Amino acid sequence: MEWNSAEKRVKELQDLLNKYNYEYHVLDKPSVTDAEYDQLLRELIKLEEEYPSLKSADSPSQRVGGAVLDSFEKVQHRTSMLSLGNAFNEEDLRDFDRKVRQAVGEEFSYVCELKIDGLAVSLRYENGLLAQGATRGDGTIGEDITKNLKTIRSIPLKISEPLSIEVRGEAFMPKGSFGALNKVKEEKGEEPFANPRNAAAGSLRQLDPKIAASRNLDIFLYAIADVGDTEIESHSEGLDRLEELGFKTNKERKRCENIEEVIQYVEEWTTRRPDLSYDIDGIVIKVDSLDQQEELGTTAKSPRWAIAYKFPAEEVVTVLRDIELSVGRTGVVTPTAILDPVRVAGTTVQRASLHNEDLIREKDIKIGDHVVIKKAGDIIPEVVNVLEDRRTGEEQEFLMPSHCPECESELVRLEGEVALRCINPKCPAQIREGLIHFVSRNAMNIDGLGEKVISQLFREKLIVDVADLYKLKKEQLLELERMGEKSVDNLLEAIEKSKQNSLEKLLFGLGIRHVGAKAAKTLAQQFNTIDKLAKATKEELTAINEIGDKMADAVVAYFENEEVQELLIELKQVGVNLEYKGPKLVAVDEIDSYFAGKTVVLTGKMEQLGRNEAKEKIEASGGKVTGSVSKKTDLVIAGEDAGSKLTKAQQLEIEVWDEAKLLEELNR
Ligand code: IVH
């Protein structure tokens, strides 16, 4: 075929197939048979192979999955992907409603949606084309799984307008595909997936996109991430807008005017849940108005304007055979129930944490009891209660030991605590658990160093403290069980990479008492280097808003310890970064700028700066840029074609500038 006619035909086929895709997978209204679709797709793939320059980013041929990747790149989310607070019953829902009403008054609506049981993903479009798709990860940094996401037919490779926009949704595996997949797996003698969520997550985490392509995944989009840059005023408008752009949204959503209607919706779907072709694990309830969402704000982890109602977990009965003890990183001794293996919520459960002695007494748990088990949050097995009427008299009471099961030093119960602790700082169990914590995701995040490898390294005395991790040699690692050349190389690379982490990861990893991931970040941001933090006094520490007495004492005590000081020297020697690398903290009152401490809304088109740039500049000058105009807004910058936000600003008599004035002030 001539190049010219090939170009024309390829374009034609791409458009046609994209249209058929949309009709079939988004609208659920196919206009051609699968056979016709496949034939056209084959024709397209053949032509694109002949003329590779005609292959475009939005070509439907991309959906079959291309080359295998080595690893996934990390992606920093432009706005963080929060999770939701949970409600487990009507009372929790009414509680949530009360708080919403306290904050915004009586005039508001909710939108209820099904909580799809899959995994959250973020899709970024540049000029209308799908540019990147990522997992949620820790909410701030996810993984680039674009190639796998492109295989999901209901994800448009191109949206109906040439916009640059980021959208969020839940990728999932429909029940039918899940059943079929597990059947094949079982026939092959492979371990089946526990549930559709794991199957979806497992499929999207494959480095070979052809696997994802074979898994029949689907998606519902539920939010525009950068909605602040649009004229949209409510969550429901956002969902309508998503549909206009060609995205698949879930149709079962409903606007509810009050909590009674919400509860009715929850009850309705508790009954109808089995009839759906996909799994849901609850209902998400969101305040509709974006202004009101903003008024309610968010906590560190989740928005105050939304909540997830979780369906009650499946419960099963089994026998508790024994109670085992383990010593944690902080010396706490935790009893664990050893159970007769039992299937619950998709996996076989053999152990359940009993947390502490008080809980064993409270629930009157004895060895040999029949117990009811469920998975809290569908993940963590727990003993709900004992079936007393099934006792035979043979059951045995369990007594906590007086000495540490690992190092035999005497256990103590600290004042005000329910836990028993081993307070021997040299207790091997504590050291091992501390090492496991050090490499975990929110700490130094060293891929390939799980509990098993650490335990082995520790047992073989290859590591005693965290600095030793950085002294491991290839030959030593090759000696370990199940460690090949390739995994050793990967591991060493991951260890090397972790040296560059910003200070907060190290601080959290060191396991200073009372210092969680968030406090670690605050400390890193405030003190910048570990040396400065190590010299901080209690007064300097408690002067920081989020640091209380208990934490300050713990930090001071930690750095006074001589062994800690030696450890820091060692870490420095092996090349671990001891400085904070994140955004700098500048006290608002130290910034000499008009914008310092002001809340600014950008609306309309910016000719010279562009929205993102304008936002960055205002923020760098100490201002806060938000998405919607409210009483709290100090200033609105209205570009070309500004709409309802400008009108609202005028109604509320808020100061309005044009872009020229903004530039003038920024360049002053
Ligand atoms: S909204 C800030 N809507 O549930 C609000 N989430 O913890 C972000 N999910 O991570 C979530 N269906 O993976 C929202 N209709 C829905 C959802 C939904 C499922 C998942 C999502 C999120 C988790 C909530």
Side-chain angles (χ1 to χ4, degrees):
M1 200 186 284
E2 290 272 329
W3 199 86
N4 274 352
S5 34
E7 185 186 22
K8 196 163 148 254
R9 181 61 181 158
V10 165
K11 186 87 194 66
E12 204 171 79
L13 285 167
Q14 288 177 346
D15 287 347
L16 205 57
L17 286 163
N18 273 334
K19 175 171 156 286
Y20 292 156
N21 236 316
Y22 175 71
E23 288 171 348
Y24 186 110
H25 294 281
V26 179
L27 301 181
D28 205 9
K29 281 194 201 120
S31 63
V32 290
T33 63
D34 288 2
E36 278 172 274
Y37 181 94
D38 289 343
Q39 195 189 349
L40 294 174
L41 182 61
R42 274 196 300 272
E43 184 186 345
L44 174 67
I45 291 174
K46 195 156 160 271
L47 275 174
E48 285 182 345
E49 266 166 19
E50 235 172 283
Y51 302 94
S53 63
L54 294 177
K55 204 187 250 180
S56 61
D58 64 327
S59 172
S61 62
Q62 305 278 311
R63 297 196 187 271
V64 296
V68 181
L69 305 173
D70 287 333
S71 64
F72 297 119
E73 300 277 316
K74 298 258 188 281
V75 177
Q76 168 117 32
H77 298 301
R78 294 187 181 180
T79 45
S80 36
M81 292 182 78
L82 301 174
S83 63
L84 296 175
N86 290 329
F88 295 100
N89 48 44
E90 198 179 310
E91 199 188 318
D92 293 348
L93 287 174
R94 291 191 187 278
D95 225 37
F96 166 72
D97 179 60
R98 208 168 302 124
K99 288 188 191 134
V100 170
R101 281 187 288 123
Q102 255 166 24
V104 303
E106 303 291 326
E107 287 296 306
F108 68 94
S109 318
Y110 289 118
V111 177
C112 288
E113 288 167 21
L114 304 183
K115 185 167 183 308
I116 314 298
D117 199 7
L119 70 156
V121 298
S122 190
L123 305 173
R124 193 160 57 73
Y125 287 78
E126 297 282 357
N127 302 316
L129 293 179
L130 176 60
Q132 189 174 66
T135 60
R136 175 174 182 277
D138 63 4
T140 313
I141 293 174
E143 284 181 326
D144 184 335
I145 52 163
T146 316
K147 292 239 157 56
N148 285 336
L149 287 171
K150 278 188 171 177
T151 69
I152 301 183
R153 304 288 191 94
S154 44
I155 293 182
L157 301 175
K158 183 179 175 180
I159 50 179
S160 66
E161 292 171 39
L163 295 178
S164 296
I165 191 173
E166 189 161 327
V167 298
R168 305 242 159 108
E170 193 85 352
F172 63 96
M173 185 178 284
K175 286 180 192 167
S177 318
F178 172 71
L181 172 64
N182 264 357
K183 200 161 157 246
V184 173
K185 278 194 155 267
E186 271 164 34
E187 278 163 9
K188 284 201 213 154
E190 292 173 14
E191 180 70 20
F193 282 114
N195 51 46
R197 180 192 39 216
N198 288 5
S203 306
L204 288 174
R205 267 195 232 110
Q206 297 282 342
L207 292 168
D208 180 357
K210 289 207 179 59
I211 299 181
S214 73
R215 294 278 170 91
N216 289 315
L217 301 172
D218 204 343
I219 193 167
F220 286 121
L221 279 304
Y222 54 65
I224 300 176
D226 35 18
V227 70
D229 299 353
T230 68
E231 293 295 318
I232 293 165
E233 292 190 353
S234 67
H235 177 64
S236 24
E237 273 175 43
L239 292 170
D240 293 343
R241 183 82 179 110
L242 282 170
E243 278 175 23
E244 271 171 27
L245 292 171
F247 291 107
K248 182 164 173 172
T249 61
N250 190 285
K251 293 287 186 295
E252 314 298 354
R253 61 179 177 264
K254 187 174 174 242
R255 241 176 96 109
C256 291
E257 296 311 323
N258 52 50
I259 199 70
E260 303 307 326
E261 285 181 37
V262 169
I263 289 164
Q264 222 175 351
Y265 181 92
V266 166
E267 280 168 3
E268 180 187 338
W269 283 103
T270 307
T271 323
R272 289 179 63 187
R273 183 181 175 196
D275 307 334
L276 290 165
S277 63
Y278 44 86
D279 258 6
I280 60 173
D281 59 341
I283 303 294
V284 182
I285 300 118
K286 304 174 182 172
V287 169
D288 196 23
S289 148
L290 298 189
D291 280 354
Q292 288 172 335
Q293 286 187 3
E294 194 156 327
E295 236 173 283
L296 281 151
T298 64
T299 66
K301 274 197 257 149
S302 50
R304 288 196 200 88
W305 46 263
I307 197 160
Y309 169 82
K310 299 289 271 292
F311 292 130
E314 183 196 347
E315 297 188 344
V316 296
V317 175
T318 187
V319 177
L320 188 150
R321 288 288 167 206
D322 199 1
I323 294 179
E324 241 179 47
L325 296 165
S326 60
V327 185
R329 167 166 71 89
T330 58
V332 172
V333 179
T334 308
T336 301
I338 307 300
L339 309 163
D340 274 356
V342 61
R343 294 279 300 173
V344 52
T347 60
T348 304
V349 166
Q350 315 195 43
R351 309 165 65 84
S353 174
L354 295 170
H355 304 289
N356 53 58
E357 192 174 11
D358 285 13
L359 184 129
I360 299 176
R361 297 285 156 262
E362 222 168 83
K363 297 197 171 170
D364 187 24
I365 296 171
K366 294 189 173 146
I367 295 172
D369 265 334
H370 280 83
V371 289
V372 176
I373 304 292
K374 73 168 183 190
K375 281 197 202 150
D378 257 0
I379 305 174
I380 304 159
E382 93 182 20
V383 175
V384 182
N385 57 285
V386 167
L387 298 177
E388 281 185 40
D389 51 0
R390 293 185 66 171
R391 282 196 174 148
T392 60
E394 299 282 293
E395 295 75 16
Q396 279 173 11
E397 187 146 351
F398 172 78
L399 292 173
M400 283 295 265
S402 57
H403 290 79
C404 174
E406 293 247 5
C407 73
E408 287 174 14
S409 48
E410 196 171 351
L411 298 177
V412 296
R413 197 174 231 211
L414 297 183
E415 211 186 296
E417 287 190 352
V418 285
L420 273 181
R421 274 179 202 275
C422 166
I423 50 167
N424 169 15
K426 298 229 154 67
C427 171
Q430 290 178 52
I431 298 173
R432 184 186 62 231
E433 295 303 312
L435 289 162
I436 294 170
H437 170 76
F438 184 80
V439 301
S440 65
R441 186 154 86 165
N442 285 330
M444 294 300 267
N445 193 15
I446 305 181
D447 279 346
L449 258 190
E451 223 173 297
K452 287 214 179 86
V453 182
I454 290 279
S455 300
Q456 235 191 108
L457 290 167
F458 186 69
R459 220 181 314 125
E460 310 283 335
K461 303 209 167 49
L462 291 176
I463 49 173
V464 177
D465 64 27
V466 297
D468 295 336
L469 284 169
Y470 296 96
K471 299 174 193 160
L472 288 169
K473 298 267 174 324
K474 187 165 176 174
E475 308 81 68
Q476 295 175 316
L477 292 170
L478 282 169
E479 301 271 304
L480 300 179
E481 290 159 37
R482 263 165 294 172
M483 285 290 254
E485 177 101 18
K486 175 100 182 154
S487 34
V488 167
D489 285 343
N490 286 344
L491 179 55
L492 285 169
E493 198 181 315
I495 293 176
E496 189 60 32
K497 207 171 111 204
S498 76
K499 289 184 184 171
Q500 302 311 321
N501 283 342
S502 179
L503 176 60
E504 65 275 19
K505 305 225 49 134
L506 175 69
L507 276 185
F508 177 58
L510 289 173
I512 307 168
R513 285 203 70 191
H514 306 299
V515 178
K518 189 155 180 270
K521 177 127 192 209
T522 307
L523 290 172
Q525 213 166 22
Q526 292 281 347
F527 290 93
N528 234 340
T529 70
I530 206 158
D531 289 337
K532 286 194 195 133
L533 174 62
K535 289 197 200 97
T537 60
K538 181 171 179 182
E539 290 65 38
E540 284 168 324
L541 287 160
T542 47
I544 301 163
N545 227 343
E546 294 133 76
I547 313 289
D549 270 357
K550 237 164 114 182
M551 206 194 301
D553 284 337
V555 171
V556 172
Y558 181 81
F559 287 107
E560 270 172 4
N561 184 323
E562 251 169 60
E563 280 175 43
V564 168
Q565 290 166 9
E566 277 162 31
L567 178 67
L568 294 186
I569 294 171
E570 262 190 277
L571 286 172
K572 209 172 287 176
Q573 277 166 355
V574 293
V576 172
N577 168 56
L578 302 173
E579 288 179 19
Y580 175 65
K581 293 181 170 178
K584 290 277 175 300
L585 201 73
V586 190
V588 164
D589 53 13
E590 281 172 20
I591 304 175
D592 172 29
S593 145
Y594 176 84
F595 301 105
K598 292 212 162 72
T599 302
V600 184
V601 172
L602 299 168
T603 181
K605 273 200 200 73
M606 302 282 149
E607 293 289 321
Q608 300 201 28
L609 270 182
R611 277 276 182 95
N612 278 334
E613 208 184 330
K615 184 168 183 239
E616 275 168 24
K617 292 213 154 122
I618 294 170
E619 283 171 350
S621 311
K624 183 175 155 210
V625 177
T626 63
S628 59
V629 179
S630 74
K631 282 171 284 178
K632 292 184 193 155
T633 311
D634 297 303
L635 173 66
V636 171
I637 315 284
E640 202 87 352
D641 300 325
S644 60
K645 288 185 194 176
L646 175 58
T647 321
K648 185 144 184 214
Q650 286 158 344
Q651 278 166 3
L652 293 173
E653 299 183 353
I654 291 166
E655 186 166 1
V656 178
W657 291 5
D658 60 8
E659 192 185 353
K661 178 99 200 281
L662 171 67
L663 283 167
E664 195 183 309
E665 186 61 41
L666 284 172
N667 296 329
R668 193 167 57 90

